[in-house]
Amino acid sequence: MSKSNVVILGGGGSGAHIARALSAKLDHNRFNLVLVTLADRYVHMPALVRLTVDTPDTKYLEENALIPYDHLFIGGKGTVKIGKVVNIE
């Protein structure tokens, strides 16, 4: 029996939140969870704004403003694909 795909388009605040929540609830024997996003990390805009008025701190930037997707899925139960969706059939 083949698995069905659950695809989330966009890794912004909502897409990342939905992907994380689904990774905990989906039956991974029946579904593949895939997040398609343009970048390899989530950009937290409020943290970037803070960096414009505060002394830039590379560690702060990496930890709070540019958040990689490598720990997004609970138990690693999901896949991130970097790219742009141009067609859905």
Side-chain angles (χ1 to χ4, degrees):
M1 181 170 144
S2 65
K3 294 183 181 181
S4 295
N5 293 317
V6 175
V7 180
I8 300 164
L9 302 179
S14 296
H17 177 76
I18 291 167
R20 183 160 180 83
L22 283 176
S23 71
K25 296 182 186 268
L26 279 180
D27 178 356
H28 297 284
N29 294 317
R30 295 179 49 213
F31 299 100
N32 294 313
L33 179 59
V34 181
L35 173 68
V36 180
T37 186
L38 290 173
D40 64 344
R41 60 194 70 229
Y42 169 68
V43 178
H44 189 259
M45 292 300 185
L48 286 180
V49 171
R50 182 174 180 174
L51 286 173
T52 64
V53 297
D54 214 352
T55 304
D57 179 354
T58 304
K59 184 173 172 106
Y60 180 86
L61 177 66
E62 291 173 356
E63 291 178 358
N64 298 296
L66 303 174
I67 306 166
Y69 293 113
D70 56 352
H71 297 295
L72 175 66
F73 300 105
I74 295 172
K77 296 177 181 175
T79 306
V80 175
K81 297 290 185 184
I82 309 301
K84 181 178 180 181
V85 175
V86 294
N87 190 20
I88 297 175
E89 294 182 17

